[in-house]
Amino acid sequence: MFSYKGQQYHAMRRSTDCTSSLRKLALFVSAILLTDVSSSRAEMRTRLSPSNRSQFAVISQNSPFFVCYRLENGEAKLGTVKDRTLKNGSLWTEFVVPKNQALLASLTVRIKRFKGTKRSKAYRDLVRRRNTIQSTINKALLVARDCVPYSDDEPSVVEFQGDPKSLAPYQDKLSRNEVRHLLKKVAFGGSPELEAIGMERGLNALADALIDGLGGQAERDKLEQDSMLWARRGFYFDEDDPDYRGVRIWNMEALHAAQFHRFLYSRSPMHEWLLLMLAGHFATNLNAIDFSYSKYGHYGLLLHWNLLKNNSLGNFATLAKAMLDDPAMNEWLDNEDNHKDSPNQNFARELLELFILGVIDPITGHKNYDEESVVATTGFVSGYFERSQIDPESGKEVVGSAFDPELHDQTPRTLLREVPSAQIFGSLKAPELIDHVLTNHPGSSRYVAERFGGQMLYPSLDEGMVAQLAQVLLSNNFELRPFVRTIITSQAMFSDAARNTCITSPIERTVQLARKLILKPLPQDQENLEKSFYLLLTLRDTARDAGQSIFEPPSVFGWKGACNINRAGAKFQGEGWLSEQRMLNRSHTCGDLMGILAWLEYDLAGSLNVTNLTSARAIITTIADSVFSMRLSPEELTLLIRFMETEQSPEGSITEIAVEPHADYYVWRKIARLICMLSDLSSNNLR
Amino acid sequence: MHHHLSRRAFLHMTGGLLGGALLSPLLEPSLLLAQSPQGGTGKNLIFINLLGGLDGLSAFPYYEGAVAASIRERLRPALAIPSNLVIPVAGQNGIPNKIGLHPGFSKLALHAAQHIKVVRGYGIPGELERSHDTCQILMSLGASKLNSGDMTGFMARLMDRREWESFQFWALSTTNPPDTNTRKKPPIVVSDLSNLDVRPVAWESEGDLKQALDVSRQLIEIRTPNNSLEARYRSVQLSTELVLSRVRRDINNQVVGNNLAGDYTDSGIGRNLRDAAKILRAKKLAPESGMAGRDTMILCAQGGYDTHSDQGTTDPMRGDLPVLLSSLGNNLAVLYRDLDSFGALNDTIVIVYSEFGRTNFENGTPESGSSGTDHGHASNTLVLGGPVTAGVCGESPSAQELQDDWYNALLPRVDVRDIFSEAIRWLGVDPLEIFQEPGYQPRLVGIIG
């Protein structure tokens, strides 16, 4: 009998006669039965297969269950589930310990788990959660005491000391695992210096670094200038321009290259992550906008980009209102055509549904607005039109947006009739409308809170958390800095509930990988300009082929099925990225990146610090840790070592090769593929 | 179940059956439905989701009668399709308000007129939230209201209930997640079969690639998922390899298109329908594909139908909508000819649908620059296939709803689920197994026959 956190656990041991060969094997099995049904009493029995050996079983409560066992060589292993059956009102699970070189036979453990019927809610809950074992593995490992962790990630139950549903500040001291977790969630994996700040100075210092960015203003200006090198080539094309130098970029390509340059080299990666989130919220497909009537029409795209860039940690209300003057948004959602004599509902509807209010209140479940409000809003946001303006930087004539009161529909209308706190009858101008809705409609702050909070934390925020986040927005007049800071320093952020809850989007995946691999700045000298440009476009293309092109969402909803598209109560964990086609293209992401790096003659081995390593094991573990923050199991390591030490002919014969990380042929055949295989593992595709 | 029935119980049961047989044709007694074998009988359903809200009044315009006059003179003086350009649909003798096809469907009409049925006034019943997302999700779910928690679409439910193999449901376009959210086996989700392949990394040789793929697969297999999301990710990875081998072996080598109706275009819908043709041809002609004798469902999509502006002009062939309809119609014509050429036409039904229609009144005029329509409610659509005979079904709008400036949209006369139900029943499946929203009873629309 032993206890853990107040729960009593019984250990039962049964031993049987073993054959002489089996005596060589010392196998310790800890089976922890945990049920989340407080009303049922969990029991555990085991039945041994003919090839018996001793095993242990442990009973406890309050989690789904798993089996962990230790091999003779001391490595811990998780038993795989072979079958689950419902018999006589109990759920039986059969685990199998597979044969391998360390084992002489297999062990089957049947565990009686639950009393109930198939119709009971408890059973359904249990079945639904039976695959959710990550946190349980860690907890139970601790309980079992003798099993080492399955992965090198420290068990979250050890480090997490808090309430998973609380937005109160988490402890300042963080483990390496926690630092990496936060950086993976909201900063494309961060950087070594951000990781060092988190480890050495704690959560508050890390939050400051993420929010304020690293480096001084001069450095930020330099990044901006370097990124603008690409943007200027598309938007300010001029043969006399000294930046031209023969590499002409066409419009959207310029924007893509500029933004991916920022993704890659920003010392404030959270700013770029937030930009991506905002680009999916104020979703505008810049490639679908027709500015062809103006020589510098695509400057409108640049304006939209600047809006998101400059307001990623600004004020949400300001950003929403800025969309009224944004020529790209006006063109995209037809607000330029919305005048008092010819109403067009497109922008008005999406303003309410997608930008500032949402269809359904996430707490009450009530509809936030009605069709009458759509008609009223259409009138209130009318009056904007496109016109030329002079760009202050270049002095050139470019597209812009303006408001004409003569085109504005001033008919008094009723807005939000069913919402007493926000109902109004009258005529509003568009900025007044936005302020009114954000301030007075309770659903508005909740919608924004759930949308953004869900993407930063996890999709299924409960009502209490939504209410708390909404209050943060309201009490700070929709400033995003305190909102973001609350989330990234919260207890909820470091709980199990926030770990690996969303499939990374293609851009997240690409940028995360590229940031780890491309550690030196891209050359921008004349000789290498074109190569650098193609690298940036390769990054764009790999993400696009996997389903996401920056600034080109397929519709005004952004990227469907991405994490926490909370439309009318539907919550998704990134299932939109999952399909056979997209899976293959996701896999190609790394391959294409390797290809372009090879073409650039990039010192990949040097940047990964593996050039001087002499063993395949060392190369593999170094890359697994530095690029993917993971530790491999002995089985995986064995498999990969063999891969790195051999090659296969087209006919299938395997021969040994030397491990030579200093040699190009080895780098671009073996190390490159190793990186791609690791990047394909499911755990490296969640955040 | 009792093996020994009392006389009273027997009579009660018998009476119930007889009563069921005498029920109004509005109801479909499931007891009388012959269930098909689990895998099906080799039929094909192709769904084409037009994203954005198709303007049914333009795509399938009324050209004769009071409805046509109202649209032309009052509701849409700029956008109304001239009556003499509308392609009539057969089987409307005695119907005062005649409906036809947009001229953009001319090629389709030329090749497939005898197998096109126009459905008038279909939509999601009840009070409608005219939101793309809400309505697309409702269409996917096969529901009239959102029921939070259950995100299994009706197509996914059909696949689960019939325990289909993965290769029986192909989602060929970006879909709404409920469409493919199965609980048992996953469908195959690919957007371009010709672009489905593995590639070597950097300097890899052919042997390197084979070795790498083998090791990758083993790595994926031996890693235990830590949560259900990871498990799902892993399962798609593992199915990708199977899909790839099947596509390479059986499907990508099928020769389709380039027939009497022309060839598939290099557009999203063109690629979808080309791939649909390849899949069905492999099913029919490649026994090793394993698909023969089983039902197949294919989901395609075409976007761009949210025509708030630039929908059209006084020239019915100019504007965004005619371009989209021409693309749809032309590619459907090629598909029709392909299906006929390899003997799958009589086994195939194509259903076109969209999340809602558009407003009765047009936005502004071409002169004011806003020649479009906003979100509406009910719409018109078409169903195509060998089992479909030319004609119309559903109902035309009343004069009253056309004059309702406030609602400014058509009301649904046909529950969209009834269209899906009839097709599902054609597969030999009880629609009530699939559409389980309380209160829903499928009504016969008449899309088939």
Side-chain angles (χ1 to χ4, degrees):
Chain A
M1 173 86 78
F2 62 93
S3 66
Y4 170 65
K5 284 195 172 178
Q7 301 288 346
Q8 300 298 312
Y9 301 96
H10 304 269
M12 296 191 298
R13 181 172 186 162
R14 205 186 290 176
S15 61
T16 60
D17 293 334
C18 300
T19 63
S20 59
S21 57
L22 293 176
R23 281 200 198 99
K24 296 178 187 176
L25 181 65
L27 182 68
F28 172 74
V29 176
S30 294
I32 298 174
L33 260 191
L34 308 159
T35 171
D36 58 354
V37 181
S38 56
S39 60
S40 74
R41 185 172 179 278
E43 290 183 31
M44 196 283 303
R45 287 199 294 255
T46 63
R47 193 184 82 185
L48 303 177
S49 70
S51 51
N52 261 334
R53 62 198 55 73
S54 58
Q55 88 280 324
F56 291 84
V58 179
I59 305 168
S60 85
Q61 284 186 322
N62 299 323
S63 286
F65 63 94
F66 73 102
V67 167
C68 168
Y69 64 99
R70 185 192 292 279
L71 299 177
E72 188 178 32
N73 62 5
E75 296 289 344
K77 180 78 181 160
L78 192 70
T80 53
V81 174
K82 181 183 174 188
D83 191 23
R84 286 191 174 90
T85 52
L86 187 69
K87 261 192 313 195
N88 303 322
S90 298
L91 180 64
W92 292 75
T93 299
E94 186 174 348
F95 289 95
V96 173
V97 172
K99 281 188 182 182
N100 61 28
Q101 290 177 345
L103 288 176
L104 300 178
S106 63
L107 168 70
T108 300
V109 176
R110 286 186 184 275
I111 301 174
K112 181 179 177 183
R113 185 174 169 203
F114 169 73
K115 282 190 187 287
T117 67
K118 252 188 177 173
R119 287 183 177 277
S120 66
K121 182 178 183 299
Y123 172 79
R124 291 200 305 275
D125 287 345
L126 209 59
V127 168
R128 228 182 352 254
R129 291 187 57 195
R130 66 190 178 191
N131 286 326
T132 308
I133 55 175
Q134 173 62 53
S135 61
T136 309
I137 291 170
N138 295 327
K139 287 181 202 168
L141 283 168
L142 182 70
V143 172
R145 296 182 189 225
D146 289 329
C147 272
V148 300
Y150 176 71
S151 73
D152 201 34
D153 286 339
E154 296 145 29
S156 61
V157 70
V158 175
E159 61 197 14
F160 181 63
Q161 304 288 334
D163 178 356
K165 293 189 178 175
S166 172
L167 292 170
Y170 190 52
Q171 66 196 27
D172 199 52
K173 180 153 175 54
L174 298 176
S175 68
R176 187 177 81 146
N177 182 48
E178 288 174 322
V179 170
R180 285 180 168 181
H181 157 70
L182 178 61
L183 294 177
K184 194 165 79 158
K185 283 294 270 190
V186 297
F188 297 119
S191 60
E193 60 182 333
L194 282 168
E195 197 171 313
I197 290 172
M199 293 291 300
E200 291 160 16
R201 293 163 47 193
L203 176 57
N204 284 306
L206 180 58
D208 288 338
L210 287 171
I211 290 173
D212 297 332
L214 291 177
Q217 189 58 46
E219 192 171 328
R220 282 194 277 277
D221 289 345
K222 174 78 170 51
L223 175 69
E224 182 72 17
Q225 191 183 349
D226 288 346
S227 302
M228 284 302 291
L229 174 72
W230 309 108
R232 287 179 62 81
R233 289 169 172 277
F235 300 119
Y236 298 118
F237 172 65
D238 186 336
E239 295 224 19
D240 297 328
D241 188 329
D243 285 336
Y244 166 55
R245 295 185 202 161
V247 177
R248 175 75 172 102
I249 302 175
W250 296 96
N251 302 313
M252 282 305 294
E253 282 186 342
L255 202 56
H256 290 143
Q259 183 53 48
F260 271 94
H261 187 270
R262 289 176 63 92
F263 278 144
L264 215 48
Y265 292 113
S266 174
R267 292 181 72 198
S268 312
M270 193 175 78
H271 294 189
E272 307 308 321
W273 189 89
L274 290 170
L275 183 155
L276 181 61
M277 185 179 75
L278 290 172
H281 184 80
F282 295 104
T284 311
N285 190 328
L286 299 186
N287 202 29
I289 291 170
D290 181 13
F291 281 139
S292 56
Y293 57 86
S294 166
K295 182 181 179 187
Y296 295 101
H298 284 85
Y299 177 76
L301 312 181
L302 200 61
L303 286 179
H304 185 81
W305 183 47
N306 281 335
L307 258 184
L308 299 178
K309 241 188 315 141
N310 298 336
N311 288 284
S312 61
L313 275 165
N315 184 287
F316 179 80
T318 302
L319 187 52
K321 285 183 278 190
M323 293 296 152
L324 298 165
D325 295 311
D326 179 31
M329 180 62 82
N330 273 321
E331 168 77 28
W332 171 240
L333 288 182
D334 305 314
N335 208 36
E336 57 177 10
D337 295 331
N338 178 29
H339 304 147
K340 67 180 179 189
D341 296 325
S342 59
N344 186 308
Q345 291 180 355
N346 201 3
F347 179 82
R349 186 179 291 280
E350 310 307 355
L351 177 70
L352 294 180
E353 179 181 341
L354 305 176
F355 297 166
I356 66 173
L357 187 52
V359 175
I360 304 285
D361 186 308
I363 292 179
T364 65
H366 297 151
K367 277 174 53 172
N368 277 333
Y369 61 92
D370 52 18
E371 283 301 307
E372 182 184 38
S373 296
V374 173
V375 173
T377 303
T378 302
F380 297 155
V381 301
S382 61
Y384 289 85
F385 67 100
E386 277 176 11
R387 63 167 176 80
S388 294
Q389 63 186 15
I390 301 299
D391 169 38
E393 182 179 341
S394 64
K396 298 184 193 299
E397 184 186 330
V398 294
V399 71
S401 186
F403 174 76
D404 184 353
E406 293 297 313
L407 300 176
H408 178 65
D409 183 352
Q410 299 182 49
T411 309
R413 290 195 170 92
T414 301
L415 179 75
L416 303 171
R417 186 186 294 270
E418 304 295 323
V419 185
S421 61
Q423 183 196 106
I424 192 169
F425 175 79
S427 173
L428 297 174
K429 298 237 175 23
E432 295 167 335
L433 160 79
I434 292 173
D435 282 333
H436 173 78
V437 170
L438 286 175
T439 307
N440 296 303
H441 195 313
S444 186
S445 55
R446 292 169 188 166
Y447 169 68
V448 176
E450 190 179 29
R451 280 279 290 162
F452 290 178
Q455 289 181 67
M456 298 181 76
L457 282 167
Y458 49 86
S460 302
L461 295 179
D462 73 7
E463 294 169 6
M465 293 181 76
V466 171
Q468 288 181 70
L469 285 174
Q471 189 51 43
V472 173
L473 279 172
L474 281 171
S475 54
N476 288 283
N477 293 319
F478 285 87
E479 288 290 339
L480 290 175
R481 269 178 187 252
F483 176 77
V484 168
R485 191 185 182 90
T486 299
I487 291 174
I488 65 175
T489 58
S490 68
Q491 295 179 26
M493 173 57 85
F494 295 92
S495 69
D496 292 338
R499 291 180 186 252
N500 297 323
T501 55
C502 271
I503 296 169
T504 53
S505 70
I507 290 179
E508 282 175 321
R509 186 176 189 271
T510 296
V511 171
Q512 209 160 308
L513 183 62
R515 282 179 69 92
K516 295 285 188 182
L517 298 177
I518 304 171
L519 302 180
K520 302 184 184 97
L522 286 174
Q524 291 192 329
D525 56 287
Q526 177 63 16
E527 188 185 343
N528 290 297
L529 203 59
E530 197 171 353
K531 287 186 172 180
S532 301
F533 174 59
Y534 282 123
L535 170 62
L536 294 172
L537 284 203
T538 298
L539 296 178
R540 176 211 53 188
D541 290 342
T542 57
R544 172 191 281 175
D545 290 344
Q548 188 181 31
S549 185
I550 186 78
F551 306 127
E552 296 177 27
S555 75
V556 69
F557 304 114
W559 293 278
K560 249 189 204 300
C563 195
N564 192 48
I565 299 291
N566 175 32
R567 312 293 184 186
K571 295 179 177 60
F572 301 107
Q573 291 177 280
E575 291 92 332
W577 309 126
L578 282 189
S579 74
E580 283 79 4
Q581 184 92 53
R582 287 184 170 178
M583 194 60 74
L584 264 181
N585 291 344
R586 255 176 114 92
S587 187
H588 293 158
T589 296
C590 180
D592 291 347
L593 180 56
M594 292 298 126
I596 195 82
L597 289 178
W599 179 56
L600 284 172
E601 297 174 327
Y602 188 72
D603 181 13
L604 183 66
S607 77
L608 297 172
N609 294 316
V610 298
T611 311
N612 298 319
L613 299 179
T614 54
S615 77
R617 173 186 286 267
I619 293 171
I620 293 165
T621 54
T622 300
I623 291 174
D625 181 64
S626 66
V627 180
F628 300 103
S629 305
M630 67 184 299
R631 198 174 106 158
L632 299 163
S633 70
E635 265 184 304
E636 290 166 337
L637 209 47
T638 303
L639 190 61
L640 288 171
I641 289 171
R642 180 154 175 77
F643 169 73
M644 296 293 278
E645 292 176 345
T646 59
E647 65 180 2
Q648 180 173 317
S649 71
E651 296 74 33
S653 60
I654 305 278
T655 51
E656 308 269 332
I657 59 171
V659 174
E660 297 178 306
H662 55 273
D664 282 347
Y665 88 94
Y666 190 83
V667 170
W668 298 116
R669 285 172 67 209
K670 288 299 181 181
I671 293 180
R673 175 55 81 171
L674 169 69
I675 292 170
C676 292
M677 285 196 283
L678 293 177
S679 80
D680 282 345
L681 293 177
S682 50
S683 55
N684 291 325
N685 286 275
L686 301 182
R687 64 170 178 89
Chain B
M1 187 178 190
H2 290 289
H3 294 287
H4 303 283
L5 289 174
S6 66
R7 182 167 176 274
R8 178 180 290 187
F10 174 77
L11 285 175
H12 179 73
M13 193 175 80
T14 311
L17 284 174
L18 284 175
L22 291 172
L23 281 174
S24 155
L26 296 178
L27 300 178
E28 182 66 60
S30 58
L31 284 173
L32 301 180
L33 186 69
Q35 292 285 327
S36 72
Q38 204 72 346
T41 54
K43 293 179 177 166
N44 309 312
L45 269 185
I46 301 178
F47 291 101
I48 302 179
N49 187 357
L50 303 184
L51 302 166
L54 166 72
D55 182 24
L57 286 179
S58 288
F60 306 97
Y62 289 91
Y63 62 92
E64 193 177 297
V67 170
S70 178
I71 291 170
R72 196 169 49 241
E73 291 156 17
R74 183 167 171 266
L75 301 176
R76 299 175 170 205
L79 289 181
I81 309 296
S83 298
N84 61 323
L85 297 180
V86 176
I87 303 169
V89 172
Q92 296 188 77
N93 290 336
I95 295 178
N97 292 300
K98 292 187 171 44
I99 195 170
L101 306 176
H102 186 281
F105 286 129
S106 56
K107 186 182 277 190
L108 179 64
L110 179 65
H111 290 274
Q114 68 273 30
H115 287 135
I116 295 174
K117 185 152 289 172
V118 171
V119 184
R120 298 168 296 177
Y122 84 96
I124 297 169
E127 192 186 332
L128 192 71
E129 179 63 54
R130 301 188 200 185
S131 144
H132 292 296
D133 209 48
T134 302
C135 293
Q136 284 181 18
I137 289 178
L138 286 175
M139 285 268 175
S140 293
L141 295 175
S144 64
K145 333 182 227 317
L146 283 175
N147 178 12
S148 64
D150 179 13
M151 279 292 133
T152 306
F154 79 87
M155 294 179 204
R157 215 173 301 131
L158 174 64
M159 184 173 171
D160 279 340
R161 291 274 179 175
R162 304 307 289 166
E163 296 189 347
W164 282 356
E165 297 297 326
S166 292
F167 56 76
Q168 289 185 254
F169 181 12
W170 297 75
L172 297 182
S173 194
T174 306
T175 64
N176 295 291
D179 291 328
T180 52
N181 193 21
T182 53
R183 308 221 173 189
K184 294 179 182 173
K185 293 191 180 167
I188 296 176
V189 185
V190 291
S191 54
D192 187 355
L193 289 179
S194 63
N195 202 19
L196 200 72
D197 213 339
V198 289
R199 302 204 281 260
V201 167
W203 294 6
E204 277 185 334
S205 65
E206 187 188 330
D208 289 337
L209 179 59
K210 283 185 185 166
Q211 184 188 27
L213 293 176
D214 184 47
V215 171
S216 288
R217 182 178 33 80
Q218 290 182 64
L219 268 182
I220 292 168
E221 282 172 352
I222 64 179
R223 185 158 258 260
T224 304
N226 292 313
N227 61 24
S228 59
L229 187 61
E230 208 177 319
R232 187 147 176 215
Y233 192 95
R234 180 175 170 269
S235 78
V236 176
Q237 281 183 304
L238 292 173
S239 93
T240 298
E241 192 182 332
L242 293 174
V243 168
L244 196 54
S245 63
R246 179 180 288 272
V247 166
R248 266 195 196 133
R249 189 192 68 190
D250 304 327
I251 297 174
N252 260 344
N253 53 4
Q254 299 296 328
V255 178
V256 297
N258 202 17
N259 56 37
L260 279 175
D263 203 359
Y264 297 105
T265 58
D266 186 24
S267 60
I269 190 64
R271 282 190 290 275
N272 275 191
L273 294 183
R274 178 206 66 202
D275 288 346
K278 282 186 177 181
I279 292 163
L280 296 181
R281 191 172 193 274
K283 175 178 172 177
K284 199 77 176 169
L285 303 181
E288 63 275 14
S289 73
M291 295 191 278
R294 292 174 175 268
D295 291 337
T296 304
M297 185 161 61
I298 300 175
L299 174 60
C300 309
Q302 184 187 26
Y305 284 93
D306 190 23
T307 49
H308 288 275
S309 64
D310 301 322
Q311 174 177 319
T313 67
T314 46
D315 179 348
M317 290 309 293
R318 287 188 61 199
D320 290 349
L321 185 62
V323 170
L324 290 167
L325 294 178
S326 297
S327 177
L328 174 65
N330 293 345
N331 283 293
L332 275 175
V334 180
L335 176 70
Y336 178 89
R337 283 295 179 194
D338 267 342
L339 292 171
D340 194 25
S341 72
F342 52 80
L345 185 60
N346 289 333
D347 299 327
T348 305
I349 291 180
V350 179
I351 298 176
V352 177
Y353 66 100
S354 193
E355 66 261 35
F356 43 63
R358 304 197 74 82
T359 44
N360 294 340
F361 280 89
E362 62 192 8
N363 288 344
T365 65
E367 289 73 29
S368 69
S370 178
S371 55
T373 49
D374 292 324
H375 300 183
H377 193 164
S379 188
N380 304 323
T381 190
L382 71 80
V383 179
L384 169 76
V388 176
T389 52
V392 300
C393 55
E395 288 177 40
S396 53
S398 66
Q400 186 182 359
E401 70 190 270
L402 292 177
Q403 284 166 14
D404 185 347
D405 294 2
W406 185 85
Y407 196 71
N408 194 12
L410 300 182
L411 295 168
R413 303 290 210 247
V414 173
D415 187 326
V416 64
R417 291 171 292 184
D418 293 343
I419 302 174
F420 301 148
S421 288
E422 202 164 320
I424 285 169
R425 196 181 296 114
W426 174 68
L427 294 182
V429 179
D430 179 2
L432 288 177
E433 274 190 56
I434 308 302
F435 298 104
Q436 296 180 327
E437 188 175 78
Y440 173 64
Q441 284 292 334
R443 295 160 66 105
L444 199 63
V445 181
I447 62 169
I448 298 174

